[in-house]
Amino acid sequence: MHEKINYVEFSAVDLSATKAFFTQAFGWEFVDYGEDYSAFSNQGLDGGFFQSTLSSTTANGGALVVLYSQDLETSLQNVEKAGGVIVRPIFSFPGGRRFHFIEPSGNELAIWSDK
C-alpha cells in the first residue's frame, strides 16, 4: 500500500539469541542475509533484525511494537520460557490488557489482548 508502514527493522546485540527467542516464544522463522541481518515474514508485518550495539526501549524513546495474543497468560509464559524478561507485568488499559518484555538483545516489545 502506498505510504503505509510496510516493514520494521530492529537492532540486535545478539542476533543468534534474538532469533532463537522469537522462534521458541512465537514460532517465527527467519531467512539470513549474511552474518549481520535476518528477516522474518508473515508475522502481521514483515521485518528483520540487524547486528548492532544498540537496543530500543520506551525509556530511551524507542517506538513500542505491540503483538496481539488471544491468550495473554500463555503468551507471557512463552516469553519467560524463551528467556524474555517481563519489565511490566500484565495491566489493564482502555480496550484490553497487555505486558511489556525485553528480548535477549535488549529491545522492549509488548503483547496485548482484548480478552
Side-chain angles (χ1 to χ4, degrees):
M1 302 281 263
H2 180 66
E3 297 179 342
K4 304 293 183 203
I5 296 173
N6 177 259
Y7 197 84
V8 62
E9 291 187 334
F10 297 91
S11 59
V13 174
D14 186 336
L15 190 55
S16 294
T18 290
K19 287 170 40 181
F21 169 80
F22 282 95
T23 298
Q24 181 180 345
F26 309 120
W28 290 15
E29 296 180 1
F30 292 88
V31 174
D32 294 334
Y33 294 95
E35 295 180 11
D36 296 332
Y37 195 88
S38 192
F40 58 86
S41 58
N42 301 314
Q43 302 309 320
L45 180 68
D46 294 349
F49 289 93
F50 61 91
Q51 189 67 49
S52 177
T53 59
L54 303 173
S55 58
S56 177
T57 65
T58 57
N60 66 21
L64 181 65
V65 173
V66 183
L67 288 69
Y68 176 77
S69 173
Q70 293 181 358
D71 183 345
L72 198 59
E73 285 73 17
T74 297
S75 293
L76 186 140
Q77 291 173 1
N78 291 341
V79 165
E80 290 180 318
K81 286 179 191 173
V85 176
I86 306 304
V87 293
R88 193 157 179 206
I90 294 174
F91 64 95
S92 296
F93 66 95
R97 302 178 305 133
R98 76 179 190 208
F99 67 91
H100 294 208
F101 67 93
I102 302 288
E103 55 87 23
S105 282
N107 295 306
E108 180 181 355
L109 292 93
I111 301 180
W112 85 282
S113 183
D114 53 0
K115 298 177 181 183

